[in-house]
Amino acid sequence: MTRFVSSIFSRFFRLLYPRTCVVCGDVLVDGELFLCSACLSGLPLNEGVDEEADRVLTDDLGIEHLYWLFRYDRASDFHKLVYAIKYRSNRELGVWTGKMLGERMKDVRGIDCIIPVPLHPEREKKRGFNQAFLIGTGIASVLGGRIEPEVLRRVVNTPSQTGLERGQRADNVAKAFELGNTTRVEGCHVLLVDDVVTSGATIRACMMELSKIKGVRVSVACLGKSGSI
Ligand SMILES: [Zn+2]
């Protein structure tokens, strides 16, 4: 009886406050989560068509592999997927998209731990969470591996990268990171996780620090990869 009442209540609640697709805003139907079926099937997923461009980028950044979920374009409505996580505090969406990315990395072997690209403590306090940590949590739930949020610290509270040109992005974020406690990741293959890789400036700045760790190898996973790279 209690379950019946709670089901009636939740149906009534959904009538008043229907769940909507984070991309197009249409009301979701039962079985749909975060995205409507049309948006989910239209998501420009990484289908491995860009392997050559990825190789150029990984060589440039000094990383082993780059994994990404979908092509990120600020002119496309799919950018709202990341916006909803970062600026509308949709934490569950962060974990869910991380799981989706992890599912597509299932053939990956040998990742020892996950390092989310850190926010500056002030920004994390203001936002209440680090979106890269949420995405990393989703990936870890599929692939396993421990999350190591203390290895990298963001010591400069840089302004947002959004809207900056490539050179400005690099200047903005260079020297923004420092190493914390690295003893647990020496000799490890780490997966550095961020929400979006656009110019690669943030990853490059992280790599400057991570490469100082003895025997470390780094791969990168992100939800969105900008097509302009
Ligand atoms: Zn939709």
Side-chain angles (χ1 to χ4, degrees), residues 2-205:
T2 314
R3 193 178 292 169
F4 177 71
V5 171
S6 113
S7 155
I8 295 278
F9 182 77
S10 82
R11 275 164 192 260
F12 182 66
F13 186 81
R14 268 197 228 159
L15 271 177
L16 285 178
Y17 304 102
R19 298 177 308 126
T20 54
C21 172
V22 295
V23 174
C24 72
D26 280 0
V27 173
L28 297 178
V29 299
D30 283 347
E32 291 177 340
L33 211 54
F34 304 111
L35 278 83
C36 70
S37 305
C39 287
L40 189 59
S41 63
L43 190 63
L45 291 167
N46 174 12
E47 301 293 0
V49 291
D50 232 6
E51 281 169 6
E52 183 55 38
D54 283 0
R55 236 188 327 272
V56 171
L57 186 65
T58 50
D59 287 351
D60 180 37
L61 295 174
I63 60 176
E64 294 215 356
H65 293 286
L66 173 67
Y67 305 100
W68 49 279
L69 182 65
F70 72 99
R71 180 163 299 291
Y72 181 85
D73 180 353
R74 283 177 67 206
S76 148
D77 279 346
F78 287 107
H79 86 276
K80 292 178 187 168
L81 206 54
V82 176
Y83 185 91
I85 300 169
K86 283 170 79 169
Y87 302 113
R88 309 193 95 179
S89 302
N90 197 335
R91 300 177 196 214
E92 292 83 7
L93 177 62
V95 177
W96 185 75
T97 47
K99 273 185 193 168
M100 201 195 282
L101 178 55
E103 292 287 347
R104 297 173 66 82
M105 295 169 61
K106 266 192 165 169
D107 55 339
V108 175
R109 295 280 179 272
I111 299 286
D112 299 304
C113 63
I114 291 173
I115 299 181
V117 170
L119 294 179
H120 188 274
E122 274 176 31
R123 185 169 298 178
E124 184 164 349
K125 193 174 171 193
K126 203 168 170 187
R127 188 171 290 169
F129 60 92
N130 175 2
Q131 67 278 1
F133 186 92
L134 300 177
I135 297 162
T137 303
I139 296 173
S141 74
V142 178
L143 298 183
R146 60 186 196 273
I147 302 187
E148 295 281 1
E150 310 293 332
V151 172
L152 262 185
R153 288 195 303 239
R154 199 165 193 136
V155 290
V156 182
N157 198 0
T158 51
S160 168
Q161 299 278 79
T162 310
L164 297 181
E165 299 296 326
R166 179 177 290 261
Q168 292 173 313
R169 282 172 182 261
D171 293 344
N172 185 33
V173 80
K175 298 178 184 167
F177 301 95
E178 267 181 19
L179 290 179
N181 185 353
T182 63
T183 47
R184 282 161 56 90
V185 297
E186 283 181 5
C188 286
H189 184 189
V190 305
L191 186 69
L192 181 65
V193 174
D194 205 358
D195 49 5
V196 173
V197 171
T198 302
S199 68
T202 301
I203 300 303
R204 186 173 288 106

